[in-house]
Amino acid sequence: MDSQAASSDSGGTEAEFLARYDPSLWPSIGVTADVVLLTVRHGRLCVLLVERANHPHQGKWALPGGFVDIEEDLDAAAQRELAEETGVAIEANWLEQLKTYGTPGRDPRMRMVTIAYLAFTNVTQEPVAADDARATRFFAIEDLHLPELGLTDGMDLAFDHATVIADGVERARAKLEYTTLASAFVDEPFTLGDLRRVYESVWDITLHEANFRRKVLGTPGFVEPTGTTAPTDGRPAQLYRRGPAERLHPPILRPPPD
Amino acid sequence: MDSQAASSDSGGTEAEFLARYDPSLWPSIGVTADVVLLTVRHGRLCVLLVERANHPHQGKWALPGGFVDIEEDLDAAAQRELAEETGVAIEANWLEQLKTYGTPGRDPRMRMVTIAYLAFTNVTQEPVAADDARATRFFAIEDLHLPELGLTDGMDLAFDHATVIADGVERARAKLEYTTLASAFVDEPFTLGDLRRVYESVWDITLHEANFRRKVLGTPGFVEPTGTTAPTDGRPAQLYRRGPAERLHPPILRPPPD
DNA sequence: ATAATAGTGTCTCTCAGACAGTATGTG
DNA sequence: CACATACTGTCTGAGAGACACTATTAT
């Protein structure tokens, strides 16, 4: 019930109503922004976590994040908290909302609503712990043994962050199908082998090299050749940069989970 | 900055920390849940709106929604507010989070964070205005002329609800491609013509009847025949009910927007 | 030489688009 | 009867899966 609702026949103007309105009469709900930052290193999908320096869940690993400032946009808060705790800077186009978590009791301090963000980066940036973080590093998703992804003996993460990470991984896996997201995981310039290994790491399958090549090169705007080559363990490979396309028509579908 | 953060060397237990913690020291941020309820009537995609009885934006049309109670889950708040203001009851499986909107200044009362939900229903339920709503009815999406969907002269909706509705419509259009969502828009039992008209209304295109039939019947678990028929304007049609499948493999892709 | 990866060509099967034609109701 | 919608069958072309084969480097 809205105890401060202006009844429709009170006759006051909106300006008068707003002048009387007292936000502090509402019970306090905490609003935080957390970031699920994913990357691929050594052929494994990884997430950036911080070791909590403070209560609650002191010493446990958690997603970077924290309180949204009263005059700060949600996206900005996510970027700021990520930078403050881990030193990692993310461009806004690689940062998207994942989901909002607000079940009562999920934080022992108070009723807390957390807007979780999903971010992607290449392997260049090295995190540096600061602020609320005692340490920070990347964890391979498979090493977390998230029960939400069908595994057991999950690591004891802070709050409901195991669920949040699992939701983020599932979103990333789905987005590879119908967007050019995969190219956000690699440094420019990159080879088609680099790009293919992103798909293989995130989906945890192997792809047919020749078919993948045909598909990627046949999608206008996915990648653009630079004309240069890079050495590999075999024949040197053509280098590419990201093209302007953001969506894949038609998509690259994962094999059904049978 | 977390002014109440327990420094890592303070030595207190988590229980002691929580006993000292005072949530009321945080500035108040309002948390609301709004619902974008979509349906198809008379071959047009429609959204349920309410006319606001109270300030702010008194008299404007808005999405049903309101404040989340301090001990109430977010999903429950969305369902409750929808029922209170419009009398429409929605099963939880047809209710999913859309996005969270929290830009400072989007509500003149106070800093407001709104978790928007997306819901789908058939045409059976008739809304009844109550509570904070002076009136309630369905609007065809095309009649709103949302600038976010490429149209002009948009209706003057309350808050940023034009953006929220546009995001919801885009999500629904995308979900038709790779889920069995379309069957949530029709009453059981339904004909394949009914189901096809859902796709045609939401995507605002026409589909080839024979190919649509082949595709739907070729997807295991999408629909199940009841063995009965219903009269139409032509030959009577087989009736179907929803099958157990939730995802479509492979998807029914929209023609590219070229 | 072998190993390893990059890259080309091609066969086949699935499936979507297009459309012809049949079935069965109503006015 | 015409008309409308439901339903069946088939041709074709795009594209994915599979695989054979060639190219170019390192050791």
Side-chain angles (χ1 to χ4, degrees), chain B residues 219-246:
Chain B
T219 301
F222 194 173
V223 299
E224 291 175 345
T226 63
T228 56
T229 61
T232 70
D233 288 345
R235 171 178 169 175
Q238 276 289 332
L239 286 170
Y240 296 85
R241 57 175 152 262
R242 299 178 195 104
E246 294 188 347

Side-chain angles (χ1 to χ4, degrees), chain B residues 181-199:
Chain B
L181 167 65
S183 61
F185 282 98
V186 290
D187 281 312
E188 279 185 310
F190 51 88
T191 69
L192 293 186
D194 296 333
L195 195 62
R196 179 171 47 84
R197 277 182 287 275
V198 169
Y199 277 88

Side-chain angles (χ1 to χ4, degrees), chain A:
Chain A
M1 282 295 157
D2 189 341
S3 53
Q4 299 185 68
S7 81
S8 53
D9 53 0
S10 69
T13 67
E14 177 158 329
E16 289 165 354
F17 163 78
L18 291 174
R20 284 194 306 269
Y21 198 89
D22 182 2
S24 69
L25 293 179
W26 294 102
S28 248
I29 298 183
V31 177
T32 67
D34 291 355
V35 179
V36 180
L37 176 69
L38 299 179
T39 194
V40 173
R41 13 179 74 197
H42 316 302
R44 284 144 53 101
L45 180 64
C46 298
V47 62
L48 182 62
L49 298 181
V50 299
E51 189 182 7
R52 290 185 55 82
N54 300 320
H55 290 307
H57 294 293
Q58 191 178 63
K60 284 189 187 174
W61 290 89
L63 294 169
F67 282 87
V68 175
D69 288 344
I70 191 67
E71 281 295 336
E72 180 184 39
D73 208 348
L74 302 178
D75 305 38
Q79 278 184 277
R80 176 183 54 77
E81 290 286 353
L82 178 65
E84 281 180 7
E85 295 188 351
T86 73
V88 174
I90 283 287
E91 295 174 35
N93 12 355
W94 289 346
L95 189 75
E96 64 174 56
Q97 259 195 40
L98 173 59
K99 193 179 171 183
T100 296
Y101 301 82
T103 303
R106 59 181 289 279
D107 189 305
R109 287 169 288 187
M110 62 190 291
R111 176 68 191 274
M112 201 75 79
V113 168
T114 294
I115 300 103
Y117 278 81
L118 188 58
F120 310 99
T121 189
N122 49 41
V123 296
T124 308
Q125 306 189 51
E126 273 302 323
V128 181
D131 210 67
D132 209 31
R134 179 188 293 168
T136 177
R137 70 177 185 88
F138 285 100
F139 286 79
I141 294 295
E142 56 182 318
D143 291 344
L144 297 179
H145 289 94
L146 300 179
E148 292 80 0
L149 295 176
L151 300 172
T152 53
D153 284 330
M155 221 177 103
D156 187 23
L157 299 176
F159 308 107
D160 50 5
H161 287 186
T163 302
V164 181
I165 295 167
D167 289 347
V169 168
E170 192 38 58
R171 170 85 64 92
R173 285 176 175 166
K175 286 204 79 169
L176 283 196
E177 292 193 316
Y178 55 93
T179 73
T180 56
L181 166 66
S183 61
F185 282 97
V186 290
D187 281 311
E188 278 185 311
F190 52 88
T191 69
L192 292 186
D194 296 332
L195 195 61
R196 179 170 48 84
R197 278 181 286 275
V198 169
Y199 277 88
E200 293 179 333
S201 302
V202 176
W203 286 349
D204 198 22
I205 58 173
T206 59
L207 293 173
H208 288 262
E209 201 272 334
N211 297 337
F212 181 80
R213 166 185 312 277
R214 168 160 43 93
K215 175 67 194 175
V216 170
L217 295 181
T219 301
F222 194 174
V223 298
E224 291 174 345
T226 64
T228 56
T229 60
T232 69
D233 287 344
R235 170 177 169 177
Q238 275 289 332
L239 288 169
Y240 296 85
R241 57 175 153 262
R242 300 177 195 107
E246 294 187 346
R247 294 184 65 84
L248 299 182
H249 279 286
I252 305 178
L253 295 178
R254 280 176 283 183
D258 308 356

